[in-house]
């Protein structure tokens, strides 16, 4: 909303041994960090934008999520036709084939959105193990962009963890990927859920999903959102 519409909270006392954490929360931004000894978890993470560029002021011209969106589209374009078709779970962003409840009034197509901690989400789409080499490289770039907020060491560890589970990782897609079409993308495995969804307007007037309003979500399934499993391990 403006540069001051954010809150920062500290949980516990910063320590090299005991668990502690912090939260940054505001409009289109929510980062939750847990530190336990040498381990760091920043999850869940929500970031979004509407519109996707700044048109006035000292940061005029800044655009956000452009690389991530372009990489995701390139990834789909790099798939063989049959594999791309299998990745698409719904052809339209507001598809009559969607079951009741699939389109959330606030989160729209997100499945790991607000109040969905540790939600059990069925796998959909295609296995990363079936991707051709070029598409795998693009997927690595998408993952890197999603976790770019992490410091160098934790980012390398997180990248390695995600890649080590590619055999049991799935990609799913809603909508198109050519031109400037709006879309929904999800990467899901036992260790991570990455989502990107284009939304209808809140401050802008578009009544259909558009690429200049997007929400992104990073979650750590199987109990480690907010580092809860780390806290259990660190607490006698």
């Amino acid at each position: 909303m403006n540069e001051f519409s954010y809150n920062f909270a500290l949980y516990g006392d910063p320590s090299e041994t005991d668990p502690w954490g912090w939260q940054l929360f505001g409009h289109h931004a929510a980062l939750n960090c847990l530190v336990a000894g040498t381990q760091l978890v920043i999850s869940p993470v929500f970031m979004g934008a509407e519109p996707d560029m700044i048109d006035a002021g000292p940061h005029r011209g800044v655009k956000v999520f452009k690389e991530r969106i372009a990489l995701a589209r390139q990834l789909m374009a790099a798939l063989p036709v049959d594999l791309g078709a299998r990745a698409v779970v719904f052809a339209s962003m507001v598809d009559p084939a969607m079951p009741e409840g699939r389109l959330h009034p606030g989160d729209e197509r997100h499945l790991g959105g607000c109040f969905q901690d540790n939600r059990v989400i069925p796998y959909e789409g295609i296995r990363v193990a079936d991707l051709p080499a070029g598409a795998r490289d693009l997927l690595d770039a998408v993952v890197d962009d999603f976790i770019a907020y992490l410091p160098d060491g934790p980012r390398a560890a997180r990248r390695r963890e995600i890649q080590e589970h590619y055999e049991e990782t799935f990609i799913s897609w809603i909508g198109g990927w050519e031109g400037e079409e709006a879309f929904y993308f999800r990467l899901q495995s036992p260790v991570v859920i990455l989502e990107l969804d284009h939304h209808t307007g809140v401050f802008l007037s578009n009544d259909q999903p558009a690429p200049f309003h997007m929400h992104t979500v990073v979650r750590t399934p199987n109990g480690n959102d907010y580092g809860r499993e780390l806290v259990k391990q660190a607490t006698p």
Side-chain angles (χ1 to χ4, degrees):
M1 302 296 290
N2 62 61
E3 61 182 309
F4 303 111
S5 294
Y6 298 90
N7 298 288
F8 182 83
L10 184 67
Y11 297 95
D13 297 317
S15 168
E16 294 183 356
T17 55
D18 298 329
W20 65 281
W22 54 260
Q23 179 190 68
L24 174 66
F25 184 83
H27 190 76
H28 276 147
L31 289 86
N32 300 274
C33 176
L34 187 283
V35 181
T38 61
Q39 294 181 280
L40 171 77
V41 173
I42 301 184
S43 175
V45 172
F46 164 71
M47 296 184 190
E50 181 199 16
D52 59 354
M53 69 171 292
I54 299 174
D55 59 4
H59 302 292
R60 181 178 179 178
V62 170
K63 299 180 180 180
V64 293
F65 300 111
K66 294 297 187 181
E67 294 85 357
R68 188 176 309 181
I69 290 168
L71 287 166
R73 288 182 173 135
Q74 291 169 30
L75 168 61
M76 287 297 289
L79 298 179
V81 173
D82 62 329
L83 205 57
R86 285 165 43 204
V88 177
V89 292
F90 296 104
S92 171
M93 292 288 275
V94 184
D95 199 309
M98 289 178 174
E100 184 177 357
R102 181 60 186 85
L103 193 62
H104 189 275
D107 285 328
E108 299 203 14
R109 282 144 296 275
H110 279 297
L111 296 178
C114 194
F115 306 117
Q116 299 299 331
D117 301 349
N118 294 313
R119 179 180 182 178
V120 177
I121 300 172
Y123 291 105
E124 297 178 301
I126 57 174
R127 286 162 39 93
V128 168
D130 296 332
L131 265 58
R136 181 78 68 90
D137 292 341
L138 286 165
L139 177 62
D140 288 340
V142 172
V143 170
D144 277 343
D145 196 80
F146 261 100
I147 64 172
Y149 53 83
L150 289 167
D152 290 346
R155 185 168 67 251
R158 185 65 163 143
R159 180 192 303 116
R160 186 166 57 249
E161 178 186 44
I162 292 170
Q163 291 174 339
E164 286 172 352
H165 285 81
Y166 271 174
E167 288 294 324
E168 45 190 341
T169 301
F170 285 76
I171 293 171
S172 57
W173 191 276
I174 297 175
W177 59 86
E178 299 176 347
E180 295 297 314
E181 294 179 80
F183 65 83
Y184 164 87
F185 165 84
R186 182 167 85 251
L187 180 78
Q188 181 180 355
S189 80
V191 298
V192 74
I193 296 173
L194 307 177
E195 292 185 290
L196 188 155
D197 189 26
H198 287 124
H199 283 210
T200 54
V202 176
F203 299 104
L204 302 178
S205 61
N206 55 297
D207 59 3
Q208 294 295 317
F212 44 77
H213 183 191
M214 74 289 296
H215 287 186
T216 70
V217 171
V218 179
R219 281 196 176 271
T220 307
N222 295 309
N224 214 27
D225 269 337
Y226 306 99
R228 285 172 175 164
E229 287 303 310
L230 282 183
V231 173
K232 290 178 182 178
Q233 294 172 21
T235 305

